[in-house]
Amino acid sequence: MSYEDITLEKQKSGVALLTLNRPQQLNAVRWHSWDEIEDALDRLAEDDQVSVLLLTGNGRGFCAGADLTSPEPQSSPMAVSRGKRLSVRYGGAAKLLAWPKPTIAAVNGIAAGAGLSLCLACDIRIAGAAARFSAIWSRRALVADFGATYFLPRIVGMAKALELMYTGDIIDAQEALRIDLVSQVVEADELMPQALALAERLGRGAVLALELIKRLAYREWRPDLDDQVALEEFYQRTYCLESEDAQEGKQAFLEKREPQFKGY
């Protein structure tokens, strides 16, 4: 499969580099992007030459979330209905967590909405100094999704997670480090060298042991995460996406103004 929205490169020491590649949109994801991400994850999981996945974004952003400016493209053959497309889309981050080998997110810029969920689904997060993070959904009158309602409380604690999801505030790399959202912050020009060095170190390690460590560490997360993602999808599709507030949130974003929500 050839890719439009991502690039995939195999590095030395068993590292696969998956780069979100829509730099003009700060790597915001559309329906087609999720198909490509899932296809790449499936292919890499079966590749015995790949032992570590490194995920990053091209240009100034890691991933600005769902692309609200892009018209919905035609579905892939695997997603023949709107409901199926929603399942593919919302399951992407859960699939990343379930990927059997170690994963690292090198967060080079904004990680908002779906982009935040993608980096949360990685085992290790390294931020460049310019990285920014936002659970922005509430500012669009939407439910936090892509697994965010599951990942965020477990990574930063319930109170801080709810604060971030309630407000949609943007936090910088140093605040992300303080609340354990990321494990380290490095200068922008050191981000990829440091992330690659860690990925290569893991790739030279005892691959089977690392895979089993990951399986055990997430053993209690996996079943609950699948249920949580299904609930996120249900609430988003049933209550939020067609609401007047969600339409206002999208319009306000496109018009670059503050939304005026009515509560329905």
Side-chain angles (χ1 to χ4, degrees):
M1 179 177 180
S2 59
Y3 298 125
E4 297 177 21
D5 294 0
I6 66 173
T7 63
L8 195 58
E9 305 171 51
K10 291 183 186 179
Q11 307 286 316
K12 59 184 178 181
S13 301
V15 177
L17 175 62
L18 194 163
T19 304
L20 304 175
N21 191 35
R22 304 183 73 220
Q24 298 305 313
Q25 293 80 24
L26 295 177
N27 302 314
V29 286
R30 52 183 180 161
W31 298 117
H32 186 69
S33 308
W34 291 108
D35 284 337
E36 294 190 351
I37 291 168
E38 291 214 20
D39 181 81
L41 291 174
D42 287 340
R43 289 170 180 262
L44 293 172
E46 298 299 321
D47 190 337
D48 290 338
Q49 301 302 309
V50 172
S51 52
V52 181
L53 176 67
L54 178 58
L55 177 66
T56 194
N58 184 17
R60 296 182 297 111
F62 177 78
C63 174
D67 188 355
L68 299 182
T69 67
S70 176
E72 181 174 310
Q74 290 184 345
S75 61
S76 74
M78 295 182 297
V80 295
S81 68
R82 179 175 175 81
K84 178 61 177 175
R85 289 198 301 273
L86 285 164
S87 296
V88 169
R89 178 182 178 185
Y90 292 128
K95 190 163 203 171
L96 182 56
L97 182 79
W99 200 70
K101 306 166 188 181
T103 57
I104 301 169
V107 186
N108 53 305
I110 186 66
L116 176 64
S117 291
L118 278 173
C119 70
L120 291 174
C122 290
D123 304 328
I124 300 169
R125 290 164 293 282
I126 303 174
R132 300 291 183 270
F133 303 84
S134 176
I136 200 168
W137 293 273
S138 65
R139 293 167 64 177
R140 306 286 177 258
L142 298 174
V143 172
D145 55 18
F146 308 96
T149 60
Y150 194 83
F151 295 131
L152 203 54
R154 285 162 175 77
I155 291 170
V156 304
M158 183 63 76
K160 192 63 182 180
L162 288 174
E163 177 187 328
L164 293 172
M165 289 188 287
Y166 287 164
T167 65
D169 286 347
I170 298 173
I171 62 172
D172 63 19
Q174 289 299 328
E175 175 65 6
L177 180 64
R178 188 188 71 81
I179 64 175
D180 294 326
L181 183 57
V182 301
S183 57
Q184 57 178 301
V185 175
V186 300
E187 293 301 321
D189 59 355
E190 284 297 310
L191 176 61
M192 288 310 294
Q194 295 251 17
L196 276 169
L198 176 58
E200 289 167 4
R201 177 182 174 188
L202 297 182
R204 291 191 297 268
V207 175
L208 176 59
L210 298 186
E211 290 185 24
L212 293 175
I213 288 169
K214 177 169 182 173
R215 184 182 302 178
L216 288 169
Y218 288 132
R219 185 174 67 87
E220 293 187 357
W221 283 32
R222 287 285 309 283
D224 289 345
L225 174 59
D226 292 341
D227 289 343
Q228 189 83 352
V229 169
L231 280 173
E232 287 178 344
E233 175 195 338
F234 175 76
Y235 288 156
Q236 198 79 287
R237 181 160 37 125
T238 305
Y239 299 112
C240 291
L241 285 175
E242 305 304 326
S243 70
E244 289 188 25
D245 277 353
Q247 301 308 308
E248 166 63 9
K250 178 178 180 179
Q251 194 62 33
F253 169 78
L254 295 175
E255 295 174 0
K256 296 180 170 53
R257 61 173 172 81
E258 285 297 314
Q260 301 296 317
F261 294 134
K262 299 177 180 179
Y264 51 83

